[in-house]
Amino acid sequence: MTAPLFLLDAGALAGVAPGAEVAFTGAEARHAAASMRLGAGESVLVADGSGARASCVVVDAAPSAVTVRVESLEHDAAPRPALVLVQALAKGDRDLMAVQASTELGVDAVVPWEAERSIVRWKGAKAAKAHQKWEDTVRAAAKQARRARVPEVRPVVSGTAVAALAGPDRLLLVLHEDADLGLGGLPDADLEAAAEVALVVGPEGGVSPAELDACTAAGAVPVRLGPHVLRASTAGPAALAVLQHRLGRW
């Protein structure tokens, strides 16, 4: 079984070499020592969330602080193209389900989208709390998947402003049941030329005509996943799986 992973502060592994000892505190230490009851001699992984991951052995474990000795280090380079999930806000935590699964499947960033047909709305103080919930979900899923990189949760976008995510080196793909082009039929050259590939997933009521028009006018490509209509919680992860295979990562 793969050793459990604990996330350190960004940059915490910079300059660290095999043989060095690293300590972590707070929630990660309590999880390791109190919840998992890890003790001296057990193997763990630690990562700084930005690509560095170390295989370690526990030297001392207490709920207040855990000290580990670094056995080896590796660094996961930032992939190109980066894969981004633009997930419409959805009721019943279906948006969070999509974000969690997408993180486990290797997404590099997520963008909350308050689409025209989204029932859920982020307003006032609720917006900051909801954004934090997405960040917590991403962090927990990255730990579960033993990822060295924690996906970025970008600022929320609203309505037709989602079209601004398209650009010269950013390929914006809008998942739409009426699209003529299947995701599997997207030319390899289009994927290889992009620095970033973003998947736009609509809410329960779908992407509005105005949003679709704005996206296509900005250069986005409507694509479909197949003959079935998927929930807001499953469309994004399913599309990411296809792209990971297309890019040769799986």
Side-chain angles (χ1 to χ4, degrees), residues 126-168:
K126 181 181 178 180
K129 184 177 180 180
H131 195 274
Q132 183 62 55
K133 190 173 183 180
W134 278 45
E135 290 184 336
D136 293 344
T137 297
V138 162
R139 186 177 177 87
K143 286 179 59 178
Q144 171 65 34
R146 309 322 194 247
R147 292 188 59 175
R149 291 184 174 275
V150 177
E152 174 190 9
V153 181
R154 296 178 181 173
V156 63
V157 297
S158 300
T160 57
V162 69
L165 299 178

Side-chain angles (χ1 to χ4, degrees), residues 98-178:
V99 168
Q100 175 181 318
S102 296
T103 299
E104 294 174 8
L105 293 170
V107 78
D108 299 295
V110 295
V111 179
W113 179 32
E114 192 176 78
E116 291 181 353
R117 293 176 175 173
S118 288
I119 296 173
V120 174
R121 296 285 163 176
W122 287 7
K123 300 296 183 184
K126 181 181 178 180
K129 184 177 180 180
H131 195 274
Q132 183 62 55
K133 190 173 183 180
W134 278 45
E135 290 184 336
D136 293 344
T137 297
V138 162
R139 186 177 177 87
K143 286 179 59 178
Q144 171 65 34
R146 309 322 194 247
R147 292 188 59 175
R149 291 184 174 275
V150 177
E152 174 190 9
V153 181
R154 296 178 181 173
V156 63
V157 297
S158 300
T160 57
V162 69
L165 299 178
D169 60 349
R170 298 195 305 274
L171 177 60
L172 192 64
L173 304 176
V174 183
L175 298 185
H176 198 281
E177 60 185 296
D178 294 330

Side-chain angles (χ1 to χ4, degrees), residues 228-240:
H228 306 131
V229 177
L230 303 183
R231 286 181 179 270
S233 57
T234 54
L240 279 167

